[in-house]
């Protein structure tokens, strides 16, 4: 090899190595600066907060250009949309011209050139409020630069392509009452956007598209495909559509015309029509039919679909539109089902002269279909759908549900039978209903159901309705009768619906009152496959008052009888008002609520009264008793409680015990404690045989529940002629922390007890406490460990303290006996004032909690879209916790003030010479 050749190769190699070094160093040296530059530029120009979790810069994805990658990009609103997430994108890739990026990073005033944009899994929530404010209107107006202001470095756009994959978009224009959702959206768009005149090619697909206008669904989970060639004049912001096709399931529409941007409005001049006349195309828009073997369905009949949109669309503008769809002499039949749907006809026209969405008129002049021997006919006219829906609707016909199953494949339905007959008409404006001008409302007719049977995957047990009849009237709809069963449970109901038309026409809350009766209702039939109950959601958009009576109610194999009370369903909350059942030898009363605004974590707040329940039965039946009062496993007797409890429920409808809080009191009959490990251990230590399976006199005790434990206020109980004082707590983890004081008569000592207690007396003597002549020996006992493996200790310090406390108590009793009538009255008055303080505090605390929870509920209710709802849920949980803490603080401070008041009165009453 010659020397010149060698030099050339060395030079080429050096250049190659230098190039590789540059490829490696450029992203490392300038990546952070470029990412920060992009973030600063974006936030400077937008009324929103833009952020991302991570950024990366590389040369190899779109060589020789730089690729800026932003992971978990979010755009969060400000102002009216504070905290609402407008966009969340798993990954955004921006392809930048390498030379322009480096020059800009080195300080040059030349712009960064953007070549391509790629979005992976974007999630958009687009909302326009009633006043027209839109959360996507986030571009700041361009201010005029001050004379001496330093101009920001520009960012140029020289796009060649835009790619979107797996997008989900929610659109809610509340002013226009227009809602749309798109899921599984992919789009590729290409063209040289550096030119003023661009030939754009775009291809788009979506798994599902749904569109609702003024409460009427026009598209429901329809698959979309779009191909479009567009001539774009970017300088004039005008776009002309050529060779554009829109496919909705099997319905293909040809689209032609133009669009342009003028200020904040979009000018439209579009026409569309269906090139095919086959009924099959429009039938594909029925989700239940398209989802099952649609390619095998045989069809006949013709359709005609065409329309036009012309004019400006914007916050205060609406284009003129016309849509016409006709179906004539149509029929369809599955080859493996015996009955066809035949004589199908439809004449639908939607029109608007322009200017306002409220000018839209929907006319379904005719709809007819026949299944088996039963025809169904319907018609609808809807005017002023935004301001004051004006409805004229009628339906008449009868459906044999067995024929429906022979005609249409229904997913998840194993059995369907019975008849539904309707002959009903409504002619009204919503304003008549809102103003209760029922003399202007024309509503009449009936809907009758007979021998209905439904069985399927969604129902764990079959639903059967022997008879149901609904009669329409201007002011209300009367449920004259309802008789049915679900599984083995029977149900009878009657009542009135007072908002049925508003519920049907604009999704208002359905209100009503009803009387519900059942001879036997089995909640165990609603258990999941794992054996536990599933979360039962309280439906939204319902406001019902129910007077319920159940002769026999079964829950977790517990038989309850004579269940009765009032129930209210409102705002996804079920409220019980003095609901009572007889069970386990006594009675249980419930007052409170169960709420499922968050269906993954229901909450409850109830007052529970149990009267004379059999303790062993209660322990065996209720997990809550097993967790809160494990000693009940070893007790025989009856118990009554007055308990207030609140917290959350898990997926199996059992309380989430770590977050449980409450307080209450209990009283028992005479009880036998049998085989309780803690008492057995006490017998081992003290040798006192009267502690072996003792019988306790009736007792009263108060307790509180918080921080995963049940805390028992100090109480005394008699057993075997002695007094046992108890205080302490037990945990939901079955741990024990109790202090007992037992006054043992000397007459009870003997045998091993004499020796065991004698050693304790000896230790007390060494501690300075003389027990040689004491008629009773006070034992201080500490119980720890677990319920099934307890620890028991008797400490000298506790023993001496107990003796001193006994002496002090004797002195106090002597003083108390000398207190005159005036002193007793002083203490009584203080206790009355203390009770008033506590009562006022409880009222204030309840109001604080109720207000906080209402604000939390309102926060969740006002959120729109899954992202906004998730953020609102977190904020609502925080607000509820703050309300709980403030409520607890009010009660705690009031309790301290009340105790101090009573204590001061007692000191004054016991002061000598007062």
């Amino acid at each position: 090899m010659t020397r010149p050749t060698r030099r050339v190769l060395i030079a080429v190699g050096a250049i190659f190595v230098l190039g590789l070094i540059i490829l490696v160093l450029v992203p490392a040296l300038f990546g952070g600066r470029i990412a920060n530059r992009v973030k600063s530029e974006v936030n400077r120009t937008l009324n929103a907060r833009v952020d991302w979790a991570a950024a990366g810069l590389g040369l190899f994805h779109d060589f020789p250009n730089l690729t800026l990658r932003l992971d978990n990009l979010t755009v969060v609103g400000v102002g009216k949309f504070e905290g609402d997430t407008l966009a969340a994108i798993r990954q955004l890739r921006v392809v930048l011209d390498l030379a322009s990026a480096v020059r800009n990073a080195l300080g040059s005033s030349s712009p960064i050139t953007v070549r391509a944009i790629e979005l992976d899994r974007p999630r958009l929530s687009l909302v326009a409020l009633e006043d027209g404010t839109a959360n996507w209107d986030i571009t700041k107006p361009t201010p005029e630069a001050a004379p001496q202001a330093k101009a920001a470095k520009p960012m140029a756009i020289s796009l060649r392509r835009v790619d979107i994959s797996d997008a989900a978009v929610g659109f809610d224009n509340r002013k226009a009452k227009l809602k749309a959702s798109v899921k599984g959206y992919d789009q590729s768009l290409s063209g040289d956007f550096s030119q003023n005149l661009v030939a754009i090619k775009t291809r788009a697909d979506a798994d599902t598209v749904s569109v609702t206008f003024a409460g009427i669904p026009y598209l429901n989970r329809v698959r979309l495909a779009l191909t479009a060639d567009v001539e774009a004049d970017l300088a004039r912001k005008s776009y002309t559509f050529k060779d554009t096709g829109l496919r909705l399931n099997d319905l293909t529409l040809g689209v032609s015309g133009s669009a342009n941007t003028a200020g904040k409005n979009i000018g439209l001049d579009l026409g569309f029509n269906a090139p095919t006349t086959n009924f099959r195309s429009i039938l594909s828009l029925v989700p239940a039919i398209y989802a099952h073997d649609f390619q095998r369905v045989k069809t006949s009949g013709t359709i005609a679909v065409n329309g036009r949109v012309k004019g400006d669309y914007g916050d205060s503008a609406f284009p003129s539109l016309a849509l016409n769809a006709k179906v004539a002499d149509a029929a369809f039949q599955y080859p493996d089902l015996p009955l066809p749907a035949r004589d199908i006809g439809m004449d639908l026209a939607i029109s608007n002269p322009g200017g306002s969405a409220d000018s839209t008129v929907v006319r379904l002049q005719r709809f007819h279909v026949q299944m088996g021997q039963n025809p169904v006919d319907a018609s609808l006219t809807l005017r002023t759908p935004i301001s004051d829906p004006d409805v004229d609707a009628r339906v008449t016909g009868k459906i044999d549900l067995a024929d429906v199953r022979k005609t249409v494949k229904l997913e998840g339905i194993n059995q369907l039978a019975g008849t539904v007959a309707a002959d009903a008409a409504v002619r009204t404006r919503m304003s008549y209903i809102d103003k209760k001008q029922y003399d202007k409302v024309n509503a009449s007719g009936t809907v009758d159901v007979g021998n209905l049977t439904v069985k399927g995957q969604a129902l764990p047990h079959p639903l059967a309705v022997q008879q149901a009849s609904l009669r329409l009237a201007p002011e209300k709809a009367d449920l004259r009768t309802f008789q049915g069963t679900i599984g083995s449970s029977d149900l009878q109901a009657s009542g009135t619906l007072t908002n049925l038309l508003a519920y049907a026409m604009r999704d208002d809350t359905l209100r009503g009152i009803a009387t519900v009766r059942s001879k036997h209702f089995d909640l165990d039939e609603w258990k999941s496959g794992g054996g536990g109950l599933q979360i039962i959601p309280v439906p939204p958009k319902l406001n019902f008052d129910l007077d319920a009576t159940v002769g026999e109610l079964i829950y977790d194999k517990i038989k309850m009888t004579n269940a009765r009370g009032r129930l209210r369903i409102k705002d996804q909350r079920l409220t019980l008002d003095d609901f009572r059942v007889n069970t386990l030898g006594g009675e249980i009363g419930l007052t409170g609520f169960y709420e499922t605004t968050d269906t993954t974590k229901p909450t409850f707040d109830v007052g529970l009264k149990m009267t004379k329940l059999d303790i062993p039965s209660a322990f065996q039946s209720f997990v809550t008793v097993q967790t809160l009062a494990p000693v009940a496993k070893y007790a025989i007797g009856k118990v009554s409680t007055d308990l207030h409890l609140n917290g959350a429920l898990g997926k199996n409808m059992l309380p989430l015990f770590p977050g449980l809080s409450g307080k209450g009191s209990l009283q028992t009959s005479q009880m036998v404690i049998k085989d309780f490990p803690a008492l057995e251990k006490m017998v081992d230590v003290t040798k006192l045989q009267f502690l072996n399976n003792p019988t306790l006199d009736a007792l009263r005790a108060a307790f509180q529940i918080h921080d995963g434990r049940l805390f028992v206020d100090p109480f005394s109980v008699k057993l075997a002629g002695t007094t046992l004082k108890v205080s302490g707590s037990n945990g939901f983890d079955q741990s024990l922390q109790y202090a007992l004081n037992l006054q043992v008569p000397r007459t009870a000592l003997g045998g091993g007890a004499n020796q065991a207690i004698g050693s304790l007396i000896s230790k007390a003597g060494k501690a300075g406490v003389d027990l040689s002549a004491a008629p009773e020996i006070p034992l201080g006992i500490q119980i720890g460990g677990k319920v099934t493996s307890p620890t028991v200790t008797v400490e000298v310090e506790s023993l001496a303290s107990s003796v001193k406390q006994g002496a002090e108590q004797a002195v106090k009793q002597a003083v108390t006996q000398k207190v005159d009538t005036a002193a007793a009255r002083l203490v009584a008055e203080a206790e009355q004032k203390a009770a008033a303080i506590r009562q006022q505090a409880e009222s204030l605390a309840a109001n604080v909690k109720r207000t906080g929870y209402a604000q939390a509920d309102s926060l969740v209710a006002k959120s729109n879209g899954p992202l906004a709802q998730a953020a609102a849920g977190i904020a609502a949980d925080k607000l509820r916790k703050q309300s709980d803490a403030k409520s607890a603080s009010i009660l705690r401070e009031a309790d301290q003030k009340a105790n101090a008041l009573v204590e001061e009165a007692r000191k004054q009453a016991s002061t000598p010479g007062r």
Side-chain angles (χ1 to χ4, degrees):
M1 182 180 294
T2 64
R3 181 168 298 183
T5 302
R6 185 180 299 111
R7 289 178 178 176
V8 170
L9 291 176
I10 292 173
V12 171
I15 293 172
F16 179 75
V17 172
L18 180 61
L20 288 177
I21 293 174
I22 291 175
L23 291 178
V24 173
L25 290 181
V26 165
L29 292 174
F30 303 118
R33 298 172 66 179
I34 292 174
N36 291 334
R37 173 74 183 84
V38 172
K39 182 182 291 188
S40 175
E41 179 73 16
V42 170
N43 279 291
R44 185 182 68 83
T45 58
L46 298 180
N47 281 314
R49 290 191 294 273
V50 180
D51 201 0
W52 48 77
L57 192 66
L59 278 165
F60 298 104
H61 185 273
D62 204 320
F63 186 81
N65 297 308
L66 280 173
T67 299
L68 174 64
R69 188 194 77 251
L70 305 177
D71 294 334
N72 297 322
L73 171 68
T74 58
V75 182
V76 179
V78 297
K80 289 184 178 181
F81 301 98
E82 179 70 35
D84 291 348
T85 302
L86 166 64
I89 305 171
R90 184 167 70 176
Q91 190 174 90
L92 168 66
R93 289 184 292 273
V94 182
V95 180
L96 309 171
D97 177 78
L98 174 61
S100 68
V102 173
R103 285 195 301 268
N104 190 278
L106 291 175
S108 171
S109 60
S110 60
I112 298 176
T113 303
V114 179
R115 298 292 189 188
I117 297 175
E118 302 170 359
L119 294 89
D120 180 35
R121 290 196 66 193
R123 300 291 182 261
L124 306 180
S125 179
L126 309 177
V127 178
L129 303 179
E130 287 80 355
D131 62 2
T133 307
N135 71 341
W136 63 81
D137 187 12
I138 59 176
T139 305
K140 291 181 180 178
T142 304
E144 294 184 4
Q148 297 179 347
K150 185 177 180 180
K153 297 177 183 178
M155 179 177 290
I157 303 296
S158 182
L159 271 177
R160 299 296 167 82
R161 74 176 194 278
V162 175
D163 293 325
I164 301 173
S165 61
D166 193 19
V169 182
F171 177 80
D172 184 4
N173 188 331
R174 299 174 188 176
K175 182 178 180 181
K177 294 190 176 181
L178 176 63
K179 291 185 178 182
S181 67
V182 180
K183 296 181 180 179
Y185 181 76
D186 299 323
Q187 180 175 10
S188 64
L189 182 148
S190 61
D192 186 356
F193 291 89
S194 64
Q195 307 297 319
N196 284 333
L197 297 177
V198 187
I200 301 174
K201 291 184 179 294
T202 185
R203 304 290 183 267
D205 294 280
D207 293 338
T208 63
V209 176
S210 298
V211 177
T212 301
F213 175 58
I216 299 176
Y218 289 90
L219 296 177
N220 185 9
R221 294 181 288 117
V222 171
R223 187 172 182 83
L224 175 145
L226 172 68
T227 60
D229 293 338
V230 182
E231 290 185 356
D233 186 336
L234 299 183
R236 297 182 179 180
K237 298 181 179 179
S238 66
Y239 308 87
T240 302
F241 296 89
K242 294 186 175 181
D243 299 326
T244 299
L246 176 64
R247 187 181 181 92
L248 304 171
N249 286 349
D250 265 27
L251 176 64
T252 300
L253 298 175
V255 182
S256 61
S258 63
N260 62 80
T261 303
K264 290 188 176 182
N265 294 337
I266 300 175
L268 301 171
D269 188 357
L270 301 174
F272 55 90
N273 63 80
T276 179
T277 61
N278 193 328
F279 170 66
R280 180 186 193 84
S281 298
I282 202 167
L283 181 66
S284 72
L285 299 184
V286 181
I289 297 176
Y290 186 74
H292 300 286
D293 297 332
F294 182 73
Q295 298 305 321
R296 301 177 59 205
V297 176
K298 299 177 181 179
T299 63
S300 62
T302 61
I303 65 164
V305 179
N306 59 76
R308 189 163 194 86
V309 180
K310 188 172 183 178
D312 289 349
Y313 176 78
D315 291 341
S316 58
F318 198 84
S320 66
L321 64 88
L323 168 66
N324 299 288
K326 293 186 178 182
V327 176
D329 300 323
F332 72 87
Q333 184 174 10
Y334 283 89
D336 52 347
L337 292 180
L339 283 181
R342 53 192 174 85
D343 297 337
I344 302 173
M346 181 183 73
D347 193 344
L348 172 67
I350 303 172
S351 62
N352 188 309
S356 170
D358 200 35
S359 299
T360 303
V361 177
V362 179
R363 287 188 178 91
L364 179 62
Q365 295 180 357
R366 173 177 176 266
F367 176 80
H368 177 87
V369 64
Q370 184 159 337
M371 295 186 192
Q373 302 300 314
N374 300 304
V376 175
D377 291 277
S379 62
L380 167 71
T381 300
L382 172 65
R383 299 180 178 86
T384 57
I386 308 300
S387 62
D388 186 13
D390 182 348
V391 178
D392 186 354
R394 184 174 186 86
V395 60
T396 180
K398 181 178 181 180
I399 297 177
D400 188 328
L401 297 177
D403 288 345
V404 173
R405 194 162 182 240
K406 294 175 183 177
T407 304
V408 180
K409 293 187 175 181
L410 301 174
E411 183 177 5
I413 300 297
N414 302 323
Q415 184 179 351
L416 184 64
T419 60
V420 178
D423 186 0
V426 175
R427 176 71 175 92
T428 185
R429 285 182 174 270
M430 283 307 308
S431 58
Y432 300 158
I433 298 173
D434 293 338
K435 296 176 183 178
K436 302 186 185 305
Q437 297 174 333
Y438 297 112
D439 57 318
K440 298 181 179 180
V441 178
N442 183 0
S444 60
T446 59
V447 178
D448 296 309
V449 177
N451 298 318
L452 170 68
T453 301
V454 181
K455 185 177 182 181
Q457 296 176 3
L459 290 170
H461 296 277
L463 169 67
V465 179
Q466 288 78 42
Q467 183 182 9
S469 181
L470 185 71
R471 178 182 292 275
L472 297 182
E475 184 175 356
K476 61 185 179 181
D478 288 321
L479 180 63
R480 294 184 296 177
T481 181
F482 179 95
Q483 295 180 4
T485 60
I486 181 163
S488 65
S489 305
D490 67 284
L491 202 61
Q492 300 85 44
S494 62
T496 60
L497 305 176
T498 58
N499 205 36
L500 181 59
L501 295 179
Y503 175 74
M505 292 164 55
R506 65 181 183 196
D507 199 27
D508 275 9
T509 297
L510 179 62
R511 297 191 296 269
I513 58 175
T515 299
V516 180
R517 299 286 184 266
S518 176
K519 297 177 182 177
H520 169 90
F521 204 93
D522 191 347
L523 285 171
D524 285 347
E525 293 180 346
W526 294 88
K527 287 184 177 181
S528 65
L533 278 177
Q534 302 178 77
I535 291 174
I536 303 174
V538 181
K541 302 288 186 180
L542 290 183
N543 185 349
F544 263 74
D545 284 316
L546 304 175
D547 183 1
T549 301
V550 182
E552 182 179 75
L553 181 64
I554 306 296
Y555 171 68
D556 202 18
K557 299 182 180 179
I558 305 168
K559 181 182 292 187
M560 293 169 274
T561 60
N562 194 23
R564 69 275 185 199
R566 296 188 64 83
L567 294 82
R568 185 172 189 185
I569 300 172
K570 184 181 180 182
D571 299 329
Q572 291 185 273
R573 173 182 287 188
L574 173 63
T575 301
L576 302 175
D577 183 10
D578 195 25
F579 191 82
R580 296 176 177 273
V581 297
N582 297 109
T583 186
L584 306 179
E587 183 182 72
I588 297 178
L590 288 169
T591 298
F593 69 81
Y594 160 76
E595 186 175 72
T596 60
T597 50
D598 179 358
T599 55
T600 64
K601 192 177 180 181
T603 57
F604 71 95
D605 189 322
V606 298
L608 175 67
K609 289 186 178 181
M610 297 191 295
T611 305
K612 297 182 179 179
L613 261 62
D614 179 66
I615 296 176
S617 299
F619 181 86
Q620 293 294 329
S621 301
F622 300 125
V623 173
T624 303
V625 175
Q626 296 168 13
T627 304
L628 299 181
V631 70
K633 179 179 180 180
Y634 310 96
I636 301 172
K638 288 187 176 293
V639 64
S640 297
T641 67
D642 190 348
L643 168 65
H644 180 263
L645 203 60
N646 62 76
L649 299 174
K651 292 181 179 180
N652 56 358
M653 292 290 285
L654 291 177
L656 298 176
F657 288 102
L660 209 58
S661 62
K663 63 180 181 179
S665 61
L666 64 85
Q667 62 184 63
T668 71
S669 65
Q670 190 178 71
M671 283 192 307
V672 174
I673 305 297
K674 189 174 182 181
D675 300 329
F676 183 33
L679 285 177
E680 291 178 341
K681 198 69 173 285
M682 288 171 59
V683 173
D684 289 341
V685 173
T686 65
K687 308 304 181 184
L688 295 171
Q689 294 303 315
F690 66 82
L691 295 177
N692 189 21
N693 297 334
T695 297
L696 305 182
D697 285 359
L699 64 86
R700 293 176 178 268
F703 56 85
Q704 299 181 31
I705 300 168
H706 56 84
D707 301 325
R709 302 190 70 82
L710 183 144
F711 296 86
V712 178
D713 294 349
F715 70 91
S716 299
V717 61
K718 296 287 186 179
L719 76 159
T722 67
T723 300
L724 178 65
K725 297 180 180 179
V726 181
S727 64
S729 69
N730 54 267
F732 301 159
D733 59 356
Q734 304 292 287
S735 61
L736 300 174
Q737 293 178 5
Y738 279 96
L740 280 62
N741 182 271
L742 182 63
Q743 301 291 332
V744 183
R746 280 190 175 274
T747 55
L749 300 179
N754 203 16
Q755 182 178 355
I757 302 301
S759 64
L760 294 175
I761 293 174
S762 176
K763 290 180 181 179
K766 293 178 181 180
V769 180
D770 185 6
L771 298 174
S772 58
E776 292 183 335
I777 309 300
L779 298 183
I781 304 169
Q782 300 291 327
I783 299 178
K786 299 280 187 177
V787 173
T788 56
S789 56
T791 61
V792 174
T793 58
V794 180
E795 300 177 357
V796 172
E797 292 79 4
S798 299
L799 180 59
S801 175
S802 298
V803 174
K804 292 177 182 178
Q805 290 175 3
E808 292 171 357
Q809 185 64 28
V811 173
K812 289 180 181 180
Q813 289 175 354
V815 172
T816 301
Q817 291 172 359
K818 297 177 182 179
V819 173
D820 57 18
T821 304
R825 186 182 302 114
L826 180 66
V827 174
E829 290 175 353
E831 288 177 341
Q832 290 179 353
K833 292 179 181 179
I837 290 173
R838 291 190 176 97
Q839 185 175 3
Q840 292 174 359
E842 288 178 358
S843 177
L844 178 59
N847 185 55
V848 166
K849 189 171 183 178
R850 183 165 51 253
T851 302
Y853 274 53
Q855 292 173 349
D857 294 345
S858 176
L859 187 65
V860 174
K862 291 180 180 178
S863 62
N864 289 276
L867 295 170
Q869 288 177 353
I874 295 173
D877 286 342
K878 183 177 180 181
L879 188 57
R880 292 187 183 99
K881 290 180 181 178
Q882 291 173 347
S883 301
D884 290 341
K886 188 173 181 180
S887 175
S889 176
I890 292 171
L891 293 174
R892 188 165 52 251
E893 291 175 3
D895 198 50
Q896 292 173 353
K897 185 177 179 180
N899 289 339
L901 184 66
V902 173
E903 183 62 27
E904 180 62 27
R906 287 174 177 167
K907 287 181 180 179
Q908 294 180 20
S910 61
T911 301
R914 61 166 295 278

